[in-house]
Amino acid sequence: DIQMTQSPSSLSASVGDRVTITCRASQGIRNYLAWYQQKPGKVPKLLIYGASTLQSGVPSRFSGSGSGTDFTLTISSLQPEDVATYYCQKYNNVFLTFGGGTKVEIK
Amino acid sequence: QVLLVESGGGVVQPGRSLRLSCAASGFSFSNYAMHWVRQAPGKGLEWVAVISYDGSSKYYGDSVKGRFTISRDNSKNTLYLQMNSLRAEDTAVYYCARDEVSSPSEYFQHWGQGTLVTVSS
């Protein structure tokens, strides 16, 4: 089974900071990776699919990159409304796996 | 718009069974694979199971294989999850989610609001 490892598990940054979250797959998954944002008490929201394609309606300060085993979600300028937990998810085959999540807070 | 509404959650004793339902509307249900994803209290997301658009293919996560059964009734636009031999570690909010394709699997733009299952004596 392919494992998805996110780092860090949590971070605290100031408004306006550039934030980077990493997701590593234990085997290559090409670009079959999605990112989700989950705010407290809410349903997960799709941000990015295909490793780098921004879902419609998602602010352009979010971006994704990577291929193979190493992927990155970047928030170019952190906003207060970005406080949430972020999850990566691989979908290179029928068996889906989520990363453990990264909790983002405002310093 | 796409709407997914789960029901059937509640408190159940260990070893007992429970069936969850997910009523779908706002799209052609029979054209899409459907999934169940769960989230234990304070924990991350865990994929549970998927069923293809026509019900011919079903796949499960290791933690529920042999105990849970996913099914669908396209005439009723409804997805189901039959959960047997429930354990304390099955306690979670269960979400149904629509795939982006007819055969598994991709990612989820559409999620239900979730239904809480608590396994406790």
Side-chain angles (χ1 to χ4, degrees), chain A residues 43-54:
Chain A
V43 174
K45 174 187 175 182
L46 177 68
L47 297 177
I48 287 168
Y49 58 93
S52 61
T53 302
L54 200 66

Side-chain angles (χ1 to χ4, degrees), chain A residues 1 34 36 38 42-44 46 49 55 87 89 91 93-96 98, chain B residues 35 39 43-45 47 60 62 95 104-109 111-113:
Chain A
D1 294 358
Y36 299 86
Q38 187 178 32
K42 300 297 186 181
V43 174
L46 177 68
Y49 58 93
Q55 172 66 15
Y87 296 93
Q89 174 230 318
Y91 56 97
N93 61 26
V94 299
F95 300 100
L96 305 183
F98 290 90
Chain B
H35 299 249
Q39 187 169 33
K43 302 298 183 181
L45 300 168
W47 175 75
Y60 300 89
D62 288 342
Y95 297 102
S105 301
E106 287 202 343
Y107 46 86
F108 311 122
Q109 184 181 350
W111 299 67
Q113 288 301 307

Side-chain angles (χ1 to χ4, degrees), chain B residues 2-120:
Chain B
V2 173
L3 189 61
L4 301 169
V5 179
E6 301 93 338
S7 60
V11 180
V12 60
Q13 293 179 328
R16 302 298 291 265
S17 300
L18 202 63
R19 189 177 84 156
L20 305 182
S21 300
C22 171
S25 60
F27 66 101
S28 296
F29 180 71
S30 60
N31 286 351
Y32 292 89
M34 295 294 296
H35 299 249
W36 288 99
V37 176
R38 70 184 182 183
Q39 187 169 33
K43 302 298 183 181
L45 300 168
E46 180 187 12
W47 175 75
V48 173
V50 61
I51 186 168
S52 61
Y53 71 104
D54 60 355
S56 63
S57 299
K58 305 174 185 182
Y59 303 92
Y60 300 89
D62 288 342
S63 62
V64 306
K65 197 178 305 180
R67 300 187 299 122
F68 289 12
T69 302
I70 190 171
S71 62
R72 65 191 297 160
D73 186 337
N74 285 346
S75 68
K76 296 182 178 179
N77 289 348
T78 303
L79 174 72
Y80 302 100
L81 185 67
Q82 177 67 42
M83 304 185 294
N84 298 332
S85 302
L86 282 162
R87 306 166 180 167
E89 53 265 36
D90 295 318
T91 294
V93 173
Y94 285 73
Y95 297 102
C96 70
R98 195 197 80 175
D99 208 313
E100 292 301 302
V101 292
S102 59
S103 296
S105 301
E106 287 202 343
Y107 46 86
F108 311 122
Q109 184 181 350
H110 302 287
W111 299 67
Q113 288 301 307
T115 188
L116 176 62
V117 172
T118 302
V119 183
S120 174

Side-chain angles (χ1 to χ4, degrees), chain A residues 10-75:
Chain A
S10 66
L11 66 89
S12 181
S14 299
V15 173
D17 281 355
R18 183 180 185 89
V19 169
T20 299
I21 298 169
T22 296
C23 178
R24 176 163 291 174
S26 59
Q27 299 175 37
I29 58 170
R30 288 185 281 179
N31 68 334
Y32 294 112
L33 188 95
W35 288 97
Y36 299 86
Q37 175 193 65
Q38 187 178 32
K39 296 183 178 181
K42 300 297 186 181
V43 174
K45 174 187 175 182
L46 177 68
L47 297 177
I48 287 168
Y49 58 93
S52 61
T53 302
L54 200 66
Q55 172 66 15
S56 175
V58 174
S60 59
R61 64 181 179 272
F62 291 92
S63 65
S65 64
S67 183
T69 59
D70 294 314
F71 301 87
T72 298
L73 174 69
T74 299
I75 309 173

Side-chain angles (χ1 to χ4, degrees), chain A residues 9 17 32 40 44 50 52 59 66 74 76 83-87 90 106-107:
Chain A
S9 57
D17 281 355
Y32 294 112
S52 61
T74 299
S76 61
V83 169
T85 300
Y86 294 83
Y87 296 93
K90 69 95 175 171
I106 299 291
K107 192 179 296 183

